[in-house]
Amino acid sequence: MLGVRYRFVIMKRERIFGIREDWQEGFKVRVTDPERTILDILDRTDLSGGIGEVSAAVQSAWGDLDVATLLGYIRRYGSGTVPKRLGYLIERLRLPAQAGLIDELRSLIGSGITQLERGGPKTGVMTVNVPGSGVRVRNGRLT
């Protein structure tokens, strides 16, 4: 449409939450709140500019997020991938985290192996470019 490529992502009905209505230029639009946006980009790094962009977004937004809301959303969403990626980024970026947060995220992770970059390399060393951080991941996977 108008030279812009759109991609529709279909979600299960129970995963549609964290949305608010807002007015933009006289039109009512539905947008996700910041916590839901962070959940979405952690889940679909491939649709969010890659793990480098996701890392920068998490780092930038971290101080303004309601972590209790984000944790509630992660529980409700039911993906073992999101808590793995978030826990990894909290530790690697040295984001301030309340006591017990990493343990809570560990309790929510799945048992399988998750690629740090969805659709990214399965072998080798992946470098995540975040200003001030030289994050390296062996095999590009989280366990």
Side-chain angles (χ1 to χ4, degrees), residues 8 14 21 23 26 35 39 46 52 55 59 67 77 90 100 140:
F8 292 94
E14 61 269 14
E21 291 184 347
W23 288 91
E35 293 76 18
L39 182 149
D46 58 320
S55 299
Q59 188 173 43
V67 176
Y77 197 73
I90 290 170

Side-chain angles (χ1 to χ4, degrees), residues 3 8 14 17 22 33-34 36 40 42 46 56 114 117 127 138 143:
F8 292 94
E14 61 269 14
F17 57 86
D22 196 6
D33 63 29
R36 177 55 198 244
D40 286 339
L42 286 165
D46 58 320
T114 299
E117 176 77 64
T127 301
R138 295 273 174 217
T143 55

Side-chain angles (χ1 to χ4, degrees), residues 14-135:
E14 61 269 14
R15 284 190 166 177
I16 299 174
F17 57 86
I19 299 170
R20 65 178 188 213
E21 291 184 347
D22 196 6
W23 288 91
Q24 296 293 323
E25 298 181 17
F27 294 95
K28 187 167 37 171
V29 294
R30 296 178 68 195
V31 296
T32 57
D33 63 29
E35 293 76 18
R36 177 55 198 244
T37 301
I38 293 296
L39 182 149
D40 286 339
I41 67 173
L42 286 165
D43 184 48
R44 295 298 307 264
T45 56
D46 58 320
L47 301 177
S48 307
I51 194 64
E53 291 296 322
V54 170
S55 299
V58 169
Q59 188 173 43
S60 174
W62 188 250
D64 297 322
L65 293 175
D66 181 329
V67 176
T69 298
L70 180 58
L71 272 174
Y73 285 179
I74 292 170
R75 280 189 211 97
R76 184 173 175 185
Y77 197 73
S79 166
T81 297
V82 172
K84 281 184 186 181
R85 288 185 181 138
L86 179 58
Y88 176 80
L89 291 176
I90 290 170
E91 289 182 338
R92 295 302 299 190
L93 299 173
R94 296 188 175 118
L95 299 174
Q98 61 201 42
L101 177 59
I102 296 298
D103 289 335
E104 176 72 19
L105 290 170
R106 281 191 184 115
S107 76
L108 299 172
I109 65 174
S111 60
I113 295 174
T114 299
Q115 286 182 272
L116 180 60
E117 176 77 64
R118 185 175 177 155
K122 294 183 180 177
T123 61
V125 176
M126 171 185 277
T127 301
V128 178
N129 296 315
V130 178
S133 170
V135 178

